[in-house]
Amino acid sequence: MPNNYKAMSHEEFVQHIDKICCRLSKYISDNQIKVDYICPILRSGAIPAVYIANKLNIVKFLPIQVKHIAYKNGDNKIELLFNPMNSIDINKEEPVFLIVDALQSTGTSVEICINEIKNKYKDAKILFVCLAKEYKCRDFKEIAAYENFAFYYNGNNKFSKEKCEELNVEYYHPLFPWENLEIEIEHPDDLEDNIFF
């Protein structure tokens, strides 16, 4: 395995989910709210969202797919591929959406999802959780009512192991139990041919 990746065991993954659920459950209880839809950011948010939904008894899913695309002409963009917002109709004044991702690096995917929700439900309450967040990545305190994550990872910071220990940041890039190292390194799933066919 390359030096900058570290495989995460299923047991470790579940520990992170438990940590997120414990904090999130307290927030939900303290604020006396109910999550109307859990919104995994596909693909990486799908598995954490299923675990969280089952632990917190959240019934309705509204997956949103946002994807980095490497176009043949050399352009690289993060784009919305699937948005089911028009398939729902909520009459609540402040519907609650829980956005879930596995890993946050730039925050662009999360921002796209928040904007899509807010375009339809401007008074929606947005909650956002992810397993791993790149250290110094942007936060969403201005547009999300709640944000939490299990741990920071090094990512593009390229800190030394010693600096990571000092900052309580995971030195390695996490490889989640459902991920394939080859795809993570080479990104063939980003190619235009594999997305638009």
Side-chain angles (χ1 to χ4, degrees), residues 175-195:
L175 184 69
F176 297 109
W178 59 89
E179 290 182 320
N180 176 307
L181 181 61
E182 183 181 337
I183 289 175
E184 287 304 305
I185 293 170
E186 296 179 11
H187 300 291
D189 57 326
D190 287 358
L191 299 178
E192 180 181 358
D193 290 348
N194 290 329
I195 298 167

Side-chain angles (χ1 to χ4, degrees), residues 108-124:
T108 303
S109 297
V110 180
E111 184 177 27
I112 289 170
C113 292
I114 291 172
N115 289 339
E116 288 303 313
I117 292 168
K118 289 285 195 176
N119 283 343
K120 183 161 184 184
Y121 299 102
K122 67 179 179 64
D123 296 323

Side-chain angles (χ1 to χ4, degrees), residues 16-35 37-39 48-49 51-58 96-101 125-130 145-150:
H16 292 311
I17 289 289
D18 288 344
K19 184 191 301 185
I20 287 169
C21 286
C22 183
R23 295 173 185 162
L24 182 57
S25 181
K26 183 176 185 325
Y27 176 83
I28 289 169
S29 175
D30 288 351
N31 290 276
Q32 299 181 336
I33 59 174
K34 179 182 181 204
V35 174
Y37 282 93
I38 189 165
C39 305
Y51 276 77
I52 292 168
N54 279 283
K55 285 184 174 290
L56 300 183
N57 194 30
I58 301 169
V96 180
F97 295 87
L98 171 60
I99 298 173
V100 179
D101 208 352
K125 188 180 289 284
I126 306 292
L127 317 179
F128 168 59
V129 297
C130 67
Y146 176 87
E147 178 180 1
N148 213 312
F149 58 96

